Amino acid sequence: LLDRFVSMSRFAFKAVQELRINFCRASQNSAGIRDFVKANYAEMKKVNPTLPIMVREFDGVEPKITARFDMGVEQTLSVADMDEKAIDTRLKELCK
């Protein structure tokens, strides 16, 4: 039970107002973010039920995650060629 709580709390994004995830459905440099979304989207929504998490697929786009904070401040993280674990680590840093 404790392991599940620790796992779920890793996606508790208290300061984030909106999370946007953009990637290409076919390019190799988006493979990590596609895997990340497939493995983690449901958990992120469960932990943050009121947080808008928008996942968008665009042909040829650079994979990135954008977090919007209070006062409209946005920070964008490029996740090109990252694996799922690296994306997890960087997303936690971005959303502290």
Side-chain angles (χ1 to χ4, degrees), residues 42-79:
E43 182 179 347
M44 287 191 298
K45 280 308 287 183
K46 185 174 184 177
V47 175
N48 304 282
T50 61
L51 176 67
I53 301 175
M54 292 170 268
V55 178
R56 301 287 186 257
E57 297 177 70
F58 301 101
D59 288 334
V61 72
E62 177 187 351
K64 62 184 175 181
I65 300 173
T66 302
R68 184 174 54 82
F69 301 91
D70 288 335
M71 309 290 276
V73 173
E74 292 189 354
Q75 292 184 5
T76 300
L77 169 65
S78 174
V79 293

Side-chain angles (χ1 to χ4, degrees), residues 2-81:
L2 180 59
D3 289 339
R4 179 149 174 77
F5 176 75
V6 170
S7 175
M8 287 181 63
S9 66
R10 74 180 190 182
F11 292 123
F13 305 136
K14 294 180 176 130
V16 178
Q17 300 296 314
E18 177 184 274
L19 195 62
R20 294 189 304 272
I21 302 171
N22 298 326
F23 57 89
C24 178
R25 73 184 93 208
S27 71
Q28 186 58 37
N29 71 347
S30 289
I33 190 64
R34 287 193 304 268
D35 293 343
F36 178 83
V37 169
K38 183 187 273 187
N40 297 293
Y41 179 82
E43 182 179 347
M44 287 191 298
K45 280 308 287 183
K46 185 174 184 177
V47 175
N48 304 282
T50 61
L51 176 67
I53 301 175
M54 292 170 268
V55 178
R56 301 287 186 257
E57 297 177 70
F58 301 101
D59 288 334
V61 72
E62 177 187 351
K64 62 184 175 181
I65 300 173
T66 302
R68 184 174 54 82
F69 301 91
D70 288 335
M71 309 290 276
V73 173
E74 292 189 354
Q75 292 184 5
T76 300
L77 169 65
S78 174
V79 293
D81 298 314

